[in-house]
């Protein structure tokens, strides 16, 4: 049925014309599109060129830094070759300290980048030549004759001592320094840890080489150190684009050097310490005062979670104050113990000035072309708007349900293509009217299909709920088992001792573990931390507890065998589980006032009567358990005495690494202060004071790691008696 039609105009007044004559719109589209595509491709090609240049510059800069680092870090080992040559030619006598210091003093002019060269004897003596700030070379020595007081002397042109310019505290013991301990432990020339200069002004990196006689007797350690200032000076002289920067860091996140001139440490001149160098505190990269350095380190941590995970060269981008920066990080290692990261950052704007100018010109051209195209398009649109409007009005009526509407196909200008469209539209309207009449049946059919599908979804949801309940029950069982095997209150009641323990898991199942066992007068304490938390960590913790109790029951006394057996047992189980879990584990044995410590874990805190804190580093007492099949060679132990009122505190890293809402870690120092302040209280009160302080720090932040704490105080006052055989073996 036809709808109402307008009165037709007299035919023949206007002839039919093709639609393409009027449709100029493609011209508009082509013009704008062509200019836009050209502009876009120009911009993208510019960006590509920028990326290529930035990548090349980053690679070249990183290579230059690596080459210079290799050259600088080879200096100490070349100096050792000179020292050894002098020894082999009998030009120095290691038993004559004056002879040694004179020789080392004379070596420094040949190595202008060396800060100090020294020889440390096994009997605590220290002989060295050292370069001062003004370039003068002085002699530093500590001998038995002067009560091991580290003294600085000016030197004659022949290298003889003249006048004293500085004398430190007596009983200076260089054997406790990393440049002595590490080479002696590894029995080869290696790098030691970074250490501050005794004046507290500089940070040094030193290499050491142990010296032995032909018969294998240990004579002492050569030490050659470099001042980190020259690393920063080298970086600051590098030209990286216009405003690029670079820095070097350790895997711990602590800064080695930076091109910005920022010192890699902070110096606290008013801090009360035992040694001047303790006034220096290493600077974490994330705490840098330079915004670019700080953001670059944050970008690396967001990408890799830990600096230890960066094992190859990587390139990425980050933003500072809305500006884009290119970043490249490269590992730098040598065969002597160096494992650093070299980072180069370049701002994108160093390369984008010309690109942005071209972009602005392109935008102006696009706007001009768009204006012209729109003017032509408007004129064209007015010619064809009437028939299109008519189609629109009829389509709206069809949408409202008036299916008897039809389009009038007569107009002043009858465009052939639009006329065909109108006829097709009328045909479609008729078909739509017919189709609507059968739509209701189709809707019913589709509704039935939807009901069936909904029932299937409900069934799947029910099965999913059942599976979640089953898994929750399994986790609850493991969690209950975990809580059941922790020492109960009666096991902590041991004559002569006051003990309190605490453990809280981050998830339903934690990976922390602590133990208190009293067997034949020997109290065995254990504390461990499995990597991660959850079901696998909880199971490994249960295995560790069982292994410790078993070895304790069979009276295993040797700390090496004790930890080695635990490691072999857990390693094989972890391999069977196809897991990558491991744990740190420390075992302590106490008897008659003596305590033996073995195994690698967090620091052991020794608290003396009155609250004085001593921190025992367990890094050299063991190795992570279940990581390798044989760790016997890494296991050692130390022993110390606890007087009445003394005690110790064990903890897992969930305490010092607990973060507040600003992601600031709690730290070890605040815990030590709380312990010292409350040491006059009972073990339970001390424990609760620490936990309350940690909870106060965390506040509303989510707990991300398990928290475990064990406090022990010696309370007996009797005269010491002979140790039990098991305690003797461990002490």
């Amino acid at each position: 049925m036809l709808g109402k039609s307008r009165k037709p105009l007299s035919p023949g007044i206007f002839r039919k014309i093709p639609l393409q004559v009027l449709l100029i719109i493609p011209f508009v589209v082509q013009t704008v599109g062509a200019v836009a595509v050209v502009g876009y491709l120009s911009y993208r090609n510019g960006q590509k060129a920028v990326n290529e240049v930035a990548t090349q510059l980053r690679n070249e800069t990183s290579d230059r830094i690596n080459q210079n680092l290799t050259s600088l870090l080879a200096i100490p080992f070349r100096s050792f070759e000179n020292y050894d040559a002098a020894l082999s030619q009998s030009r120095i006598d290691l038993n004559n300290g004056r002879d040694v210091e004179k020789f080392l003093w004379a070596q420094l002019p040949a190595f202008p980048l060396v800060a100090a060269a020294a020889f440390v004897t096994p009997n605590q003596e220290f002989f060295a030549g050292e370069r001062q700030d003004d370039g003068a070379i002085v002699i530093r020595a500590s001998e038995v004759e002067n009560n091991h007081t580290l003294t600085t002397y000016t030197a004659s042109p022949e290298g003889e001592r003249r006048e004293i310019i500085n004398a430190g505290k007596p009983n200076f013991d260089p054997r406790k320094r990393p440049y002595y301990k590490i080479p002696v432990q590894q029995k080869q020339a290696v790098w030691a840890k970074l250490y501050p200069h005794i004046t507290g002004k500089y940070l040094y990196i030193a290499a050491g080489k142990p010296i032995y006689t032909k018969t294998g007797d240990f004579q002492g350690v050569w030490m050659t150190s470099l001042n980190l200032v020259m690393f920063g000076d080298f970086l600051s002289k590098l030209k990286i684009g216009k405003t690029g920067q670079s820095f070097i860091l350790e895997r711990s996140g602590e800064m080695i050097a930076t091109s910005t001139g920022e010192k890699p440490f902070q110096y606290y001149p008013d801090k009360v310490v035992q040694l001047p160098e303790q006034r220096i505190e290493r600077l974490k990269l994330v705490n840098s005062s330079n915004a670019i350095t700080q953001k670059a380190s944050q970008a690396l941590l967001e990408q890799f979670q830990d600096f230890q995970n960066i094992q190859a060269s990587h390139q990425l981008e980050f933003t500072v104050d809305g500006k884009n920066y290119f970043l490249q990080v490269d590992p730098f290692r040598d065969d002597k113990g160096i494992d650093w990261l070299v980072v180069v950052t370049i701002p994108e704007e160093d390369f984008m000035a010309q690109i942005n100018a071209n972009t602005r010109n392109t935008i102006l051209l696009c706007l001009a072309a768009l204006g012209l195209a729109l003017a032509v398009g408007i004129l064209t649109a007015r010619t064809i708007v009437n028939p299109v409007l008519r189609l629109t009005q009829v389509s709206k009526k069809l949408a409202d349900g008036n299916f008897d509407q039809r389009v009038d196909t007569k107009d002043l200008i009858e465009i052939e293509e639009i006329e065909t469209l109108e006829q097709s539209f009328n045909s479609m309207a008729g078909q739509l009217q017919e189709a609507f009449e059968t739509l209701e049946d189709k809707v019913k059919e589709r509704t039935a299909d939807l009901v069936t599908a909904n029932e299937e979804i409900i069934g799947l949801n029910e099965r999913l709920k059942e599976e979640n309940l089953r898994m929750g029950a399994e986790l609850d069982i493991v969690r209950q088992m975990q809580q059941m095997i922790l020492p109960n209150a009666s096991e902590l009641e041991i004559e002569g001792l006051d003990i309190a323990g605490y453990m809280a898991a981050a998830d339903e199942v934690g990976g922390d573990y602590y133990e208190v066992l009293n067997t034949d007068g020997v109290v065995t304490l254990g504390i461990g931390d499995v990597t991660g938390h959850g079901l696998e960590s909880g199971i490994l913790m249960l295995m560790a507890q069982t292994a410790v109790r078993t070895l304790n029951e069979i009276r295993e006394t040797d700390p090496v065998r004790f930890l080695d057996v635990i490691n072999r047992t857990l390693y094989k189980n972890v391999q069977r589980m196809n897991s990558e879990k491991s744990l740190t584990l420390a075992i302590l044995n106490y008897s008659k006032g003596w305590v033996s410590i073995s195994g690698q874990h967090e620091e052991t805190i020794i608290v003396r009567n009155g609250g004085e804190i001593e921190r025992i580093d367990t890094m050299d007492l063991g190795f992570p358990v279940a990581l390798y099949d044989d760790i016997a060679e890494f296991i050692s132990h130390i022993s110390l005495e606890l007087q009445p009122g003394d005690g110790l505190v064990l903890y897992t890293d969930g305490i010092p690494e607990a973060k507040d809402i600003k992601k600031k870690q709690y730290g070890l120092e605040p815990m030590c202060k709380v312990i010292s302040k409350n040491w006059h209280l009972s073990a339970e009160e001390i424990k609760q004071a620490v936990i309350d302080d940690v909870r106060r720090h965390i506040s509303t932040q989510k707990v991300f790691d398990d928290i475990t704490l064990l406090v022990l105080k010696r309370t007996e006052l009797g005269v010491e008696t002979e140790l039990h055989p098991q305690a003797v073996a461990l002490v």
Side-chain angles (χ1 to χ4, degrees):
M1 183 179 69
L2 297 176
K4 295 180 180 179
S5 62
R6 297 167 59 186
K7 182 178 180 181
L9 296 176
S10 174
I13 299 178
F14 298 99
R15 62 184 179 86
K16 296 181 180 181
I17 58 176
L19 181 61
Q20 60 265 25
V21 175
L22 298 178
L23 291 182
I24 311 300
I25 295 300
F27 172 76
V28 177
V29 174
Q30 291 173 11
T31 303
V32 176
V35 175
V37 168
V38 170
Y40 174 77
L41 292 177
S42 174
Y43 178 76
R44 291 299 298 171
N45 289 335
Q47 279 194 324
K48 183 179 179 181
V50 167
N51 290 333
E52 291 176 352
V53 173
T55 298
Q56 183 179 358
L57 181 58
R58 282 179 287 178
N59 287 331
E60 292 177 354
T61 303
S62 182
D63 290 342
R64 288 183 60 191
I65 295 173
N66 287 343
Q67 292 171 5
N68 279 271
L69 283 179
T70 300
S71 176
L72 288 174
L73 295 175
I75 292 174
F77 301 96
R78 292 204 303 269
S79 71
F80 294 155
E81 295 175 0
N82 284 15
Y83 307 162
D84 292 343
L87 279 178
S88 64
Q89 298 167 9
S90 301
R91 289 191 281 125
I92 53 174
D93 180 7
L94 295 184
N95 296 318
N96 185 339
R98 297 292 180 89
D99 189 32
V100 173
E101 70 186 30
K102 183 177 179 181
F103 167 77
L104 293 173
W105 178 89
Q107 288 292 307
L108 287 184
F111 296 96
L113 298 180
V114 170
F119 181 71
V120 184
T121 69
N123 61 351
Q124 199 176 332
E125 290 187 306
F126 179 88
F127 303 98
E130 182 175 295
R131 199 181 308 276
Q132 300 290 284
D133 294 344
D134 59 2
I137 301 175
V138 299
I139 292 173
R140 306 195 77 190
S142 143
E143 305 170 275
V144 176
E145 291 78 2
N146 66 350
N147 195 22
H148 296 292
T149 300
L150 185 61
T151 307
T152 305
Y153 305 87
T154 59
S156 70
E158 295 77 25
E160 301 291 345
R161 296 181 183 178
R162 281 187 171 175
E163 60 183 24
I164 297 175
I165 58 176
N166 183 36
K169 293 184 179 180
N171 199 28
F172 171 71
D173 191 352
R175 298 171 303 178
K176 296 180 180 179
R177 304 297 169 116
Y179 55 70
Y180 180 90
K181 293 172 62 178
I182 295 178
V184 170
Q185 291 171 356
Q186 299 192 18
K187 298 183 179 180
Q188 61 179 339
V190 293
W191 286 105
K193 299 177 181 177
L194 272 69
Y195 72 97
H197 188 260
I198 196 168
T199 61
K201 294 182 180 180
Y202 305 108
L203 201 60
Y204 284 178
I205 179 171
K209 179 178 181 180
I211 305 300
Y212 302 90
T213 64
K214 293 181 179 180
T215 59
D217 296 328
F218 177 60
Q219 291 182 285
V221 173
W222 290 125
M223 184 276 284
T224 299
S225 63
L226 304 175
N227 193 333
L228 289 188
V229 169
M230 68 179 182
F231 290 83
D233 290 343
F234 159 68
L235 293 179
S236 64
K237 294 175 183 177
L238 284 176
K239 183 170 179 59
I240 309 173
K242 294 181 180 179
T243 58
Q245 299 179 9
S246 62
F247 54 87
I248 306 170
L249 68 151
E250 290 189 290
R251 295 285 182 170
S252 62
E254 293 172 321
M255 183 184 292
I256 298 292
T258 176
S259 63
T260 63
E262 184 177 18
K263 289 186 176 181
F265 61 89
Q266 292 180 331
Y267 180 55
Y268 300 95
D270 300 327
K271 185 178 180 181
V272 179
V273 295
Q274 294 181 346
L275 295 173
E277 59 263 37
Q278 293 174 341
R279 294 190 177 99
I280 279 184
E281 181 178 319
R282 295 289 303 281
L283 177 64
K284 288 280 190 180
L285 219 63
V286 294
N287 297 327
S288 171
S289 60
N290 184 278
I292 297 174
T293 302
Q294 186 182 100
K295 290 292 186 180
S297 64
Q298 292 174 357
L300 287 171
L301 288 175
E302 289 175 2
Q303 179 74 18
F304 300 101
Q305 285 73 54
D306 194 301
F307 293 117
Q308 297 287 350
N309 297 331
I310 305 175
Q311 299 299 323
S313 178
H314 294 280
Q315 294 185 346
L316 56 145
E317 299 180 12
F318 65 98
T319 303
V320 180
D321 296 331
K323 298 180 180 179
N324 292 331
Y325 285 77
F326 300 106
L327 179 150
Q328 177 163 322
V329 57
D330 290 284
F332 178 83
R333 302 183 180 91
D334 68 4
D335 58 355
K336 305 295 184 183
I338 291 293
D339 188 7
W340 294 346
L341 295 174
V342 176
V343 180
V344 178
T345 63
I346 306 173
E348 186 183 46
E349 65 181 8
D350 281 5
F351 308 94
M352 290 299 293
Q354 187 61 43
I355 300 298
N356 291 334
N358 291 339
T359 301
R360 286 193 297 271
N361 292 336
T362 301
I363 292 174
L364 291 176
L365 289 174
C366 288
L367 292 175
L370 180 61
L372 179 61
L374 286 176
V376 175
I378 291 173
L379 293 176
T380 304
R382 288 179 177 177
T383 306
I384 61 175
V385 69
N386 290 333
V388 173
L389 180 61
R390 188 167 58 246
L391 281 170
T392 302
Q393 292 172 344
V394 174
S395 65
K396 287 182 178 179
K397 293 179 180 179
L398 286 175
D400 292 337
N402 298 324
F403 296 108
D404 59 347
Q405 299 297 313
R406 297 296 182 268
V407 179
D408 186 358
T409 59
K410 300 295 183 180
D411 212 334
L412 291 175
I413 300 177
E414 297 181 358
I415 302 172
E416 293 180 357
E417 289 79 2
I418 292 183
E419 182 180 11
T420 302
L421 176 63
E422 289 173 335
Q423 292 173 354
S424 299
F425 187 89
N426 289 335
S427 175
M428 180 188 66
Q431 294 174 6
L432 182 62
Q433 185 176 8
E434 180 181 354
F436 183 78
E437 295 173 355
T438 60
L439 179 62
E440 185 174 356
D441 293 337
K442 293 182 178 180
V443 169
K444 291 180 180 180
E445 181 181 349
R446 296 300 183 188
T447 302
D449 292 341
L450 289 174
V451 170
T452 302
N454 188 53
E455 291 175 351
E456 293 178 356
I457 292 173
I458 292 173
L460 289 173
N461 285 336
E462 291 298 326
R463 288 196 294 272
L464 182 59
K465 290 179 181 179
E466 293 174 359
E467 183 66 16
N468 287 339
L469 289 173
R470 181 187 65 78
M471 293 180 65
E474 291 178 356
L475 285 174
D476 189 57
I477 291 172
V478 175
R479 180 182 60 78
Q480 292 181 31
M481 291 173 62
Q482 223 174 15
Q483 294 296 323
M484 290 168 62
I485 64 171
L486 292 177
N488 56 44
S490 63
E491 290 177 307
L492 300 182
E493 295 178 358
I494 299 174
E495 183 178 358
L497 296 176
D498 182 12
I499 304 175
Y502 175 87
M503 189 182 86
D507 285 344
E508 292 86 349
V509 180
D512 281 4
Y513 153 72
Y514 78 90
E515 184 64 274
V516 179
L517 301 172
N518 185 8
T519 306
D520 299 334
V522 176
V523 178
T524 299
L525 307 176
I527 188 162
D529 185 1
V530 181
T531 55
H533 38 80
L535 185 58
E536 277 191 29
S537 298
I539 291 175
L540 186 55
M541 187 275 279
L542 294 174
M543 294 178 189
Q545 190 274 346
T546 302
V548 170
R549 180 172 283 275
T550 300
L551 290 171
N552 187 73
E553 289 296 325
I554 65 173
R555 309 303 196 267
E556 176 56 63
T557 62
D558 185 273
V560 176
R561 287 198 301 270
F562 196 99
L563 285 171
D564 186 49
V565 170
I566 292 176
N567 177 73
R568 291 177 184 275
T569 301
L570 297 187
Y571 176 80
K572 292 179 180 179
N573 271 351
V574 167
Q575 295 302 306
R576 175 180 293 175
M577 294 162 57
N578 194 25
S579 172
E580 296 181 355
K581 296 290 184 180
S582 63
L583 73 153
T584 59
L585 178 63
I587 300 296
L588 294 81
N589 288 276
Y590 170 84
S591 179
K592 305 298 184 181
W594 285 87
V595 63
S596 169
I597 307 171
S598 61
Q600 186 185 104
H601 188 60
E602 304 296 322
E603 293 184 11
T604 298
I605 299 176
I606 304 299
V607 191
R608 300 301 182 184
N609 192 6
E612 181 182 354
I613 299 292
E614 298 175 13
R615 290 161 54 175
I616 306 299
D617 190 350
T618 63
M619 181 61 66
D620 298 329
L621 301 182
F623 199 80
V625 174
L627 195 58
Y628 296 106
D629 60 346
D630 186 358
I631 64 170
E633 63 177 306
F634 301 103
I635 302 172
S636 181
H637 75 284
I638 60 172
S639 303
L640 50 89
E641 185 177 9
L642 296 181
Q643 297 292 340
D646 293 348
L648 56 85
V649 177
L650 304 176
Y651 62 94
T652 58
D653 60 3
I655 292 180
E657 295 179 5
K659 296 180 180 178
D660 62 10
I661 198 67
K662 297 181 179 179
K663 300 189 182 303
K664 179 182 178 183
Q665 293 187 347
Y666 177 65
L668 189 55
E669 289 296 335
M671 182 177 73
C672 290
K673 290 180 180 179
V674 173
I675 294 171
S676 178
K677 179 180 178 181
N678 294 275
W679 191 247
H680 62 284
L681 303 175
S682 68
E684 176 63 29
E685 292 171 314
I686 297 169
K687 176 210 76 176
Q688 194 59 46
V690 173
I691 297 302
D692 289 345
D693 198 52
V694 174
R695 293 293 183 186
R696 176 197 58 76
H697 175 80
I698 295 173
S699 186
T700 59
Q701 175 66 299
K702 179 183 177 181
V703 178
F704 293 100
D705 200 359
D706 309 331
I707 295 177
T708 301
L709 182 67
L710 186 62
V711 181
L712 177 146
K713 290 184 69 174
R714 181 184 174 192
T715 59
E716 78 270 12
L717 299 175
V719 178
E720 300 302 329
T721 60
E722 183 180 356
L723 295 178
H724 186 276
Q726 184 178 357
V728 171
L730 290 171
V731 172

